[in-house]
Amino acid sequence: MAKRKVPSPSEAHVEEDSSSDSDTDMLDVDFEWFDPQPEVDFHGLKTLLRQLLDVDSQLLDTSALADLILAQPLLGSTVKVDGNETDPYAFLSVINLQEYKEKPVVKALIDYIIQQASTNPALSRVADLLKTPNNSTVGLILTERLVNIPSEVVPPMYRMLLEEIMWAIEEKEPYNFSHYLIISKTYQEISSTLDTGDDRPQKKKKKEDSKQVFYFHPEDEVLHRHAIAHGDYAYIKEEAEGQADAKRAFQDLGVKPRGHLILLEASEGEATVKALEEFLRPA
């Protein structure tokens, strides 16, 4: 039984590439939300975690991280289109960093976040909070979706998470958080290297490379309004040569991803979810 289902297929659209470079087909689909299922979701969650963490996923045990998410099946959601026995197209979950700090995968993740947050002054509150939590309890929110899945699937996952956390607290479970920390991704456009060495005249490089930041997750702009800290960081692992061109957003430009962190006070949870629901309300 699904936790929730989009009531009308017209409310959810999936983009599908056509044979033409300029055309995109739109498919109407029904999305269903499920509790994480250890028996069927491991490989799908691991794939989405690797996508979320990008090249730095090589530095962390994504198998153990997927197992930890699946060990708390009453907290968090997956999104599917063909029933519960299929791989998830999206997921959202939360991990209590203080409760699980002795687990090797969580310890490594905390160390990684502190290291990366320390490279950006805008993220100093994140680094300080994880170094000396004192009476704070941080819930790490992990969420990702396949690239062609619409952002409208996100607000129901956050709404259900708030409800599940409330129920867990009533049952004396360790989910009474003081803060939420969200791992996300941004990107910048950079010059393509595909034409390097060609005899064709090159277009003037766009003011070196663009400094404008774009969001893989549009909802991040809403989360920023309620955040006490947010900012980017460069990945530790170097991308393979030509990888930016493999992620090209436009014909002449490559894409360089960066990690992104958003810190919110838990007291802002309800207002934040309401803002997400308003911003991403289906047309």
Side-chain angles (χ1 to χ4, degrees):
M1 179 70 67
K3 297 168 74 171
R4 188 174 300 181
K5 186 173 182 178
V6 172
S8 169
S10 64
E11 292 184 1
H13 302 280
V14 176
E15 294 184 2
E16 183 180 74
D17 292 336
S18 68
S19 56
S20 168
D21 291 338
S22 60
D23 294 332
T24 300
D25 294 330
M26 302 296 293
L27 300 178
D28 288 330
V29 297
D30 284 328
F31 289 109
E32 295 180 281
W33 285 257
F34 294 92
D35 292 324
Q37 302 293 317
E39 298 82 7
V40 296
D41 289 340
F42 173 79
H43 293 291
L45 281 183
K46 183 177 177 180
T47 297
L48 290 170
L49 286 168
R50 290 174 64 184
Q51 177 179 304
L52 173 64
L53 298 168
D54 210 277
V55 290
D56 280 0
S57 65
Q58 303 169 58
L59 305 175
L60 299 163
D61 188 347
T62 51
S63 293
L65 195 53
D67 281 335
L68 183 55
I69 292 170
L70 293 170
Q72 42 184 31
L74 299 182
L75 206 62
S77 302
T78 60
V79 179
K80 303 181 180 184
V81 297
D82 293 315
N84 196 19
E85 299 303 313
T86 58
D87 285 339
Y89 283 39
F91 85 97
L92 184 146
S93 189
V94 64
I95 293 172
N96 186 328
L97 293 183
Q98 277 65 49
E99 179 73 11
Y100 296 113
K101 63 183 180 181
E102 299 304 323
K103 285 185 174 290
V105 63
V106 175
K107 185 178 186 303
L109 192 53
I110 292 172
D111 290 343
Y112 170 81
I113 294 172
I114 291 173
Q115 178 181 355
Q116 298 303 80
S118 299
T119 66
N120 184 347
L123 295 173
S124 60
R125 294 188 70 171
V126 174
D128 292 343
L129 184 64
L130 295 185
K131 286 177 184 176
T132 54
N134 296 324
N135 294 324
S136 299
T137 305
V138 180
L140 178 67
I141 293 180
L142 299 170
T143 181
E144 185 58 294
R145 55 188 180 271
L146 298 182
V147 292
N148 60 340
I149 298 302
S151 51
E152 285 81 2
V153 305
V154 171
M157 290 196 292
Y158 273 101
R159 172 58 62 192
M160 286 184 281
L161 182 67
L162 284 189
E163 294 171 352
E164 290 159 352
I165 288 174
M166 180 184 66
W167 298 332
I169 293 172
E170 290 175 356
E171 296 296 324
K172 310 300 182 185
E173 297 287 340
Y175 296 106
N176 194 5
F177 298 116
S178 61
H179 298 80
Y180 295 116
L181 178 62
I182 302 167
I183 295 182
S184 190
K185 293 170 64 176
T186 63
Y187 68 91
Q188 292 176 315
E189 296 168 355
I190 64 173
S191 299
S192 172
T193 61
L194 290 181
D195 295 331
T196 302
D198 283 1
D199 293 331
R200 292 175 293 175
Q202 301 293 313
K203 293 184 178 180
K204 187 176 180 181
K205 200 171 183 181
K206 274 193 169 183
K207 297 180 182 179
E208 298 304 320
D209 286 323
S210 171
K211 300 301 181 184
Q212 184 176 358
V213 174
F214 299 89
Y215 298 96
F216 283 107
H217 299 158
E219 64 269 20
D220 287 356
E221 295 186 76
V222 177
L223 296 173
H224 288 171
R225 299 174 200 162
H226 298 266
I228 58 175
H230 62 84
D232 287 352
Y233 59 87
Y235 290 124
I236 297 171
K237 296 285 289 184
E238 292 289 336
E239 286 189 324
E241 184 176 356
Q243 189 66 24
D245 286 317
K247 301 174 181 176
R248 283 166 69 149
F250 302 101
Q251 184 175 358
D252 299 317
L253 297 170
V255 170
K256 185 173 183 62
R258 293 170 61 84
H260 191 68
L261 293 170
I262 305 171
L263 181 66
L264 303 100
E265 292 181 334
S267 59
E268 281 291 303
E270 179 63 30
T272 303
V273 172
K274 284 183 177 179
L276 287 174
E277 292 169 336
E278 181 66 27
F279 180 69
L280 296 172
R281 180 176 296 169

